[in-house]
Amino acid sequence: AQSVTQLGSHVSVSEGALVLLRCNYSSSVPPYLFWYVQYPNQGLQLLLKYTTGATLVKGINGFEAEFKKSETSFHLTKPSAHMSDAAEYFCAVSLSGNTGKLIFGQGTTLQVKP
Amino acid sequence: ETGVTQSPTHLIKTRGQQVTLRCSSQSGHNTVSWYQQALGQGPQFIFQYYREEENGRGNFPPRFSGLQFPNYSSELNVNALELDDSALYLCASSYSGTGGHNEQFFGPGTRLTVL
């Protein structure tokens, strides 16, 4: 069965510091992987996705993630945090393509300190 | 282009009641998925509708049911509400076709509180 584990329910960084949000997945077949962001009282917005091809994926707002099959990981990074990055981040996996059932991790709350 | 919309924004019900939540998909999309997001948790897949037929279901009891209409809008119905049904309900629309699959676009959600 598929599953997603996000390490760290809360991450706090200073403005300008590196952001690293960790995601590990479990899947018996090659997965599609996603990172979503959720701002308070809003729905989910896609940051980036990995389907096939290049393992380093660039997304919106300066975020990127690297698919590492050997480590079953898909960690999200951003070189320099902005105050506006404070939000809830969810890693998700799908087996059936982009419109298949998404399985989400528990989420990581990113706090950005001035 | 209008995005995914959901109504109502907030809803308060009591145990045992029934509720209907509505979702209008983005223009050009033919697939709608529903998710339940309990407080402090990640969203959980309830079911998906493709061309008016259920196309996959998560681990939710039969009192969770849905519909998709010819215009691809959708409803989520929950009967015999329980306290644990209190959550944010998210709708996501996407396009599925022979050319491949596209990403799911999420609506802002409906916050359901069961007292």
Side-chain angles (χ1 to χ4, degrees):
Chain A
Q2 300 164 273
S3 65
V4 176
T5 302
Q6 291 183 239
L7 301 176
S9 58
H10 288 84
V11 170
S12 182
V13 300
S14 298
E15 191 174 19
L18 172 71
V19 175
L20 171 60
L21 304 183
R22 299 178 188 273
C23 173
N24 288 88
Y25 68 90
S26 172
S27 175
S28 57
V29 297
Y32 289 10
L33 295 160
F34 308 81
W35 275 99
Y36 285 86
V37 62
Q38 186 176 37
Y39 297 101
N41 301 314
Q42 294 189 27
L44 302 174
Q45 181 183 11
L46 181 67
L47 280 176
L48 49 80
K49 62 183 179 184
Y50 168 79
T51 53
T52 58
T55 57
L56 182 62
V57 180
K58 294 187 184 299
I60 62 172
N61 301 338
F63 285 94
E64 62 181 38
E66 186 172 9
F67 169 60
K68 292 187 176 181
K69 184 179 178 180
S70 61
E71 298 177 8
T72 61
S73 69
F74 191 57
H75 302 331
L76 182 70
T77 60
K78 182 174 180 177
S80 176
H82 295 163
M83 296 297 292
S84 60
D85 294 328
E88 187 83 11
Y89 291 80
F90 293 96
C91 181
V93 63
S94 169
L95 284 186
S96 304
N98 290 352
T99 59
K101 166 185 173 181
L102 288 171
I103 296 174
F104 288 87
Q106 295 284 74
T108 298
T109 302
L110 176 64
Q111 180 188 22
V112 182
K113 297 177 292 186
Chain B
E1 184 178 273
T2 305
V4 180
T5 61
Q6 293 185 244
S7 63
T9 305
H10 295 86
L11 201 53
I12 299 174
K13 292 285 189 178
T14 57
R15 269 188 311 175
Q17 285 189 310
Q18 178 267 343
V19 68
T20 297
L21 309 182
R22 295 176 176 83
C23 172
S24 291
S25 58
Q26 189 165 310
S27 176
H29 288 181
N30 56 14
T31 303
V32 173
S33 302
W34 286 92
Y35 294 82
Q36 180 195 67
Q37 185 179 16
L39 197 61
Q41 304 292 318
Q44 287 197 317
F45 176 76
I46 303 175
F47 43 56
Q48 182 182 87
Y49 278 83
Y50 171 63
R51 293 187 175 181
E52 302 178 57
E53 298 285 334
E54 188 178 288
N55 182 41
R57 188 179 182 92
N59 188 27
F60 281 81
R63 60 189 184 85
F64 285 78
S65 62
L67 284 173
Q68 188 180 32
F69 300 99
N71 67 354
Y72 303 121
S73 66
S74 177
E75 286 183 354
L76 164 65
N77 300 290
V78 187
N79 294 322
L81 282 168
E82 301 177 0
L83 296 179
D84 285 348
D85 295 334
S86 295
L88 180 68
Y89 288 84
L90 295 165
C91 165
S93 78
S94 54
Y95 175 78
S96 300
T98 54
H101 302 291
N102 294 318
E103 70 175 86
Q104 297 186 36
F105 289 82
F106 283 81
T110 293
R111 174 72 63 188
L112 172 65
T113 301
V114 182
L115 302 176

